[in-house]
Amino acid sequence: MPHDGIIYLDHAATSWPKPPEVLEAIAYALGPAGGNPNRSAHRLALAAARLMLESRSTVASFFGVPDARDLLFVPGCTFGLNMALKGLLEPGDRAVVSSVEHNAVVRPLAVLEKAGVEVVRIPTDRSGRIDLDAAEALVAARPTKAVVCQHASNVTGAIQPIGDLADIAHDHGAILVVDGAQAAGHLKVDVTALGADVYVASGHKGLLGPQGIGVVYLAPVIEVRELVQGGSGGDSGSLTMPAARPDRYEAGTPPVPAIAGLGAAVEVLSREIDALVVQEQRLVQRLVAGLAAIDGVRVLGPAPGEERAPVASIVHASVEPDRLAYELDSRYGIAVRAGLHCAPAAHAAAGTLETGAVRFSIGRGVTEADVDLALEAVREVCSK
Ligand code: PMP
């Protein structure tokens, strides 16, 4: 149902509204637990430290991480991906990466490429899925340090075969780094079962938390250099960061309100995830089938009925994406996103680099009525 008169179909940008538990947890973190965790020893600081511990353990078990210390809090998915890529790859190393990545992967890799890292790209089919045979051939061709791939596309919704890619990477001694920004909270993700060595996610998208927080799972045997050095609350006499996780990777005062909000959000999700995945899949398939049936509309990515994350982007033969998004917002109160979605590579693969597309994305709280209203609105705007 519409919230505040808005039909919110922009969950891939950020989820909204947040569960009330998230707002309560943030208020608690700013009030009775408002100290600086792992620094001072008074009750406010201890309460903050407890909140962090609880959040870390909630999020770790949600992702199937056996030891919560391998689950790191970072300022966001972009930061986490930068940390993983720049902390793993050195000049002379080789990375094999999908050709449909978000700029959060593309841009740090471009910097690394300039510095002497070899970057080779795995082709995809038109629906946006990587070609596994090509991936295997590329990884086998030369010693490869890392294979980098998104779990799901923020443009096409294509879900990548991460388990198979993990096998390929590991068979050839490479580390698999996964960008889980669009999968976490929308698909069931068990990082250990998937075989990901590094799995990075945003806190504010499908995980339903606030902005300003992301998570990185780092498999116990994986050695990544930390990106930032600073205070860690202990061992202050040393010039280097403590070796122990998570401290090594969490320099500076942590964003406790965001961490507490994320913990509360993931508690809600842990209860709801099974039903939510089923509901979101049902709604996205309804949306895709409805959009594909509108004259002049092309849905990017997997065909109707095929598996996808709860994202559907479209182009229309005559209505420009910006205009469609504007009309949906101004006339119908429907929030979607037009443009290139920070992922020109995915648009290039879909043939929409010149035009961009309009993206509809589903999340917690979206109903069948919302989807039907959106379909009716697209029909009306596109028939003019
Ligand atoms: N990867 C993908 C696939 C994304 O969709 C996004 C967010 N649009 C990111 C990475 C970066 O996430 P954040 O902006 O939360 O850092």
Side-chain angles (χ1 to χ4, degrees):
M1 285 304 289
H3 301 274
D4 300 338
I6 295 172
I7 294 178
Y8 189 77
L9 299 178
D10 198 18
H11 285 263
T14 198
S15 52
W16 187 87
K18 307 297 181 188
E21 290 89 336
V22 174
L23 279 66
E24 284 159 23
I26 292 173
Y28 177 71
L30 288 168
N36 196 330
N38 308 323
R39 268 69 175 171
S40 320
H42 52 74
R43 65 193 70 185
L44 289 180
L46 294 180
R50 201 171 310 118
L51 264 185
M52 269 189 84
L53 272 176
E54 286 166 4
S55 282
R56 199 184 302 280
S57 114
T58 302
V59 181
S61 35
F62 181 74
F63 281 109
V65 174
D67 184 341
R69 289 171 295 189
D70 296 323
L71 194 285
L72 315 172
F73 289 127
V74 289
C77 186
T78 299
F79 186 101
L81 287 165
N82 269 266
M83 183 179 99
L85 298 173
K86 292 173 180 166
L88 274 170
L89 295 166
E90 291 177 336
D93 284 342
R94 182 168 189 266
V96 171
V97 57
S98 100
S99 51
V100 288
E101 294 300 308
H102 186 275
N103 275 344
V105 165
V106 171
R107 286 179 171 167
L109 279 180
V111 170
L112 289 164
E113 206 169 6
K114 251 193 172 158
V117 172
E118 187 193 355
V119 180
V120 288
R121 290 166 187 84
I122 311 167
T124 54
D125 61 23
R126 223 174 138 73
S127 76
R129 284 198 207 91
I130 57 164
D131 177 338
L132 273 178
D133 293 334
E136 170 116 57
L138 287 171
V139 178
R142 292 216 320 108
T144 299
K145 178 83 169 279
V147 176
V148 187
C149 190
Q150 58 187 209
H151 196 166
S153 168
N154 64 320
V155 174
T156 62
I159 299 172
Q160 303 297 355
I162 295 299
D164 295 329
L165 200 57
D167 291 342
I168 290 172
H170 297 156
D171 284 350
H172 299 280
I175 293 166
L176 178 65
V177 178
V178 182
D179 170 5
Q182 296 296 341
H186 294 299
L187 310 175
K188 286 199 81 171
V189 178
D190 181 317
V191 291
T192 320
L194 268 180
D197 300 298
V198 184
Y199 194 97
V200 186
S202 286
H204 66 97
K205 297 181 191 275
L207 293 182
L208 306 175
Q211 294 161 0
I213 186 72
V215 293
V216 174
Y217 162 68
L218 212 54
V221 293
I222 302 297
E223 183 62 26
V224 171
R225 289 181 303 279
E226 76 275 1
L227 199 61
V228 175
Q229 294 81 30
S232 55
D235 204 12
S236 295
S238 164
L239 281 178
T240 55
M241 290 298 289
R245 299 178 184 186
D247 304 31
R248 177 174 177 189
Y249 299 99
E250 295 181 359
T253 298
V256 185
I259 291 169
L262 178 62
V266 173
E267 256 178 44
V268 171
L269 259 186
S270 303
R271 293 194 297 271
E272 296 184 359
I273 185 76
D274 290 326
L276 203 57
V277 170
V278 171
Q279 160 87 343
E280 291 182 0
Q281 284 299 319
R282 196 173 58 78
L283 292 182
V284 78
Q285 291 303 342
R286 185 179 183 91
L287 176 66
V288 167
L291 289 170
I294 297 172
D295 248 9
V297 165
R298 173 162 86 89
V299 183
L300 313 188
E306 280 179 16
E307 174 191 62
R308 61 162 68 225
V311 167
S313 296
I314 62 166
V315 283
H316 186 266
S318 58
V319 183
E320 287 189 353
D322 283 342
R323 204 192 116 213
L324 177 53
Y326 174 77
E327 298 276 343
L328 291 177
D329 178 36
S330 59
R331 286 173 47 194
Y332 303 90
I334 298 172
V336 296
R337 179 172 170 199
L340 291 178
H341 313 98
C342 303
H347 278 283
T352 47
L353 187 58
E354 297 304 317
T355 56
V358 178
R359 181 183 70 191
F360 300 75
S361 50
I362 285 170
R364 184 176 185 267
V366 176
T367 64
E368 198 172 292
D370 294 338
V371 169
D372 290 348
L373 284 169
L375 287 170
E376 191 48 41
V378 176
R379 260 181 233 119
E380 276 184 24
V381 175
C382 291
S383 67
K384 297 243 165 74

